Amino acid sequence: MKNATLIALISVGTIILIDLIQLIVSFFDFYSMNLFRLFNILNLIAFIGILQFFVTLYNKQKG
């Protein structure tokens, strides 16, 4: 459970960091579609880390 919690915390921190970077970069002209896709892929990976936490939590409560 500790590993799942750590992964979830890192994932939440990553999501916050990605959103802050997107906000800052959006004020400049070099924000492109490729950069947008990269941020979306990183966001998806971070949400998968959070999902893993909830699956582990569910399995622990079930058994």
Side-chain angles (χ1 to χ4, degrees):
M1 189 69 188
K2 285 184 180 182
N3 289 336
T5 306
L6 179 62
I7 291 172
L9 285 173
I10 292 170
S11 296
V12 169
T14 303
I15 291 170
I16 292 170
L17 185 64
I18 288 169
D19 286 344
L20 284 174
I21 291 171
Q22 274 186 318
L23 180 68
I24 292 168
V25 170
S26 68
F27 289 113
F28 300 104
D29 290 334
F30 61 89
Y31 193 76
S32 67
M33 190 54 114
N34 290 333
L35 196 57
F36 178 75
R37 287 183 185 134
L38 174 67
F39 285 137
N40 279 340
I41 291 170
L42 292 175
N43 248 346
L44 179 64
I45 292 169
F47 276 111
I48 290 170
I50 294 172
L51 175 68
Q52 185 262 341
F53 168 75
F54 283 109
V55 168
T56 303
L57 183 65
Y58 174 76
N59 288 334
K60 187 170 182 148
Q61 289 177 349
K62 189 174 80 171

